[in-house]
Amino acid sequence: MEIRAGRVPVHYVEHGTGLPVLVLHGAGVDHREAEACFEPALDGVAGLRRIYADLPGMGGTPAPETLRSADDVLDTLLAFADEVTGGTAHLLVGHSAGAYFAQAMAARRPAHVAGLALVCPLTAGLRDVPEHRVVTGPGEMGEIGDDAFRSYFVVHTAEMLERYERYVAPAAALVDEAALERIGERWALTPDHTPAYAGPTVVLAGRLDSTVGYAGAVDLVDHYPHASLAVLDDTGHALPHEQPELLRALLTEWLARVERSI
């Protein structure tokens, strides 16, 4: 499906009916990765309309020349949220760069956001990012996957390689590299000095995340007054793939808090 958000036609897929849940993927992929990871954790919950969008310059969503900064992308995502939800309350779930934008969306429209879930969030001040380290190897199989797989996943198994090849790698050919480079030159969002988002929040991080680290995620707990935090051991930036059962459990707890707050 496609809906126009300001000047940009945003491609998305959705499942179910009820309270909208906007799920935002990270950089260099498209909605298929987020759908593969989060749909198993959400599809068993009644009353949720799960919406998986392609961010500008990825998947089926273009990034016209008018998009020249992260602020422009944020404006597009806010317009998309307004259009696809009809301006009603919704949940926000983001992974990596998607979590970076989700934080800003909640800050801009707190009255419209019923809950916020941040998974391996990109933050403005990255620090203490660990070196990449593999914790589960393929045994007698030898080295598996390409460089992109080996640098993204810390769990190197046939199952994780299959997930990478099915849900991550196909998006690479669809990325508008020139657009992402253009936007990346102004990747930092303009600081927002509004009060911290006060709704139910969950922050998940991988202790071995060599892309954004986990220290920035830990810092967010002091920012959000109703945040739960989990730092998962033996897990990297591909946490949604590598720890599906824990992801489901932690999102279920978060959804229960959301339900109590509505």
Side-chain angles (χ1 to χ4, degrees):
M1 289 181 281
E2 186 176 282
I3 195 168
R4 182 162 289 277
R7 296 162 291 184
V8 180
V10 176
H11 175 263
Y12 68 100
V13 299
E14 65 174 73
H15 308 282
T17 59
L19 178 67
V21 186
L22 273 58
V23 186
L24 306 178
H25 63 77
V29 293
D30 60 26
H31 77 274
R32 287 172 290 182
E33 181 182 30
E35 184 181 24
C37 291
F38 291 99
E39 189 61 11
L42 299 173
D43 68 351
V45 181
L48 294 181
R49 176 189 171 206
R50 292 93 61 196
I51 302 165
Y52 301 88
D54 287 339
L55 271 63
M58 290 165 273
T61 301
E65 287 287 338
T66 52
L67 296 188
R68 308 198 64 82
S69 68
D71 286 328
D72 293 336
V73 174
L74 174 60
D75 289 342
T76 299
L77 293 176
L78 288 169
F80 171 75
D82 288 344
E83 290 293 334
V84 80
T85 69
T88 61
H90 54 273
L91 305 180
L92 282 175
V93 178
H95 176 235
S96 189
Y100 183 57
F101 288 113
Q103 293 171 67
M105 293 170 74
R108 289 274 193 96
R109 308 273 181 82
H112 290 181
V113 178
L116 178 65
L118 308 173
V119 181
C120 303
L122 172 65
T123 58
L126 293 182
R127 63 180 180 85
D128 301 330
V129 177
E131 293 185 3
H132 190 71
R133 177 165 63 87
V134 176
V135 295
T136 302
E140 300 300 319
M141 295 174 62
E143 193 173 74
I144 62 173
D146 58 17
D147 289 343
F149 165 77
R150 291 192 294 271
S151 64
Y152 182 22
F153 285 73
V154 302
V155 178
H156 289 189
T157 63
E159 178 188 1
M160 291 302 107
L161 179 59
E162 191 274 335
R163 291 185 66 83
Y164 167 78
E165 291 177 339
R166 184 175 179 182
Y167 302 120
V168 180
L174 302 179
V175 171
D176 185 339
E177 298 288 357
L180 294 196
E181 182 177 354
R182 180 181 70 244
I183 294 167
E185 291 176 357
R186 300 174 180 83
W187 73 269
L189 290 166
T190 300
D192 192 314
H193 301 293
T194 57
Y197 173 71
T201 303
V202 64
V203 182
L204 310 180
R207 192 172 185 89
L208 299 181
D209 189 331
S210 60
T211 302
V212 302
Y214 69 90
V218 172
D219 293 341
L220 293 178
V221 174
D222 291 330
H223 180 72
Y224 295 110
H226 294 287
S228 295
L229 168 71
V231 178
L232 307 185
D233 196 19
D234 291 348
T235 305
H237 200 58
L239 181 156
H241 295 282
E242 295 171 343
Q243 295 282 5
E245 295 304 321
L246 284 174
L247 177 70
R248 179 197 294 266
L250 292 163
L251 290 180
T252 298
E253 186 279 332
W254 167 66
L255 290 169
R257 288 192 285 128
V258 169
E259 185 174 5
R260 291 195 298 269
S261 71
I262 293 177

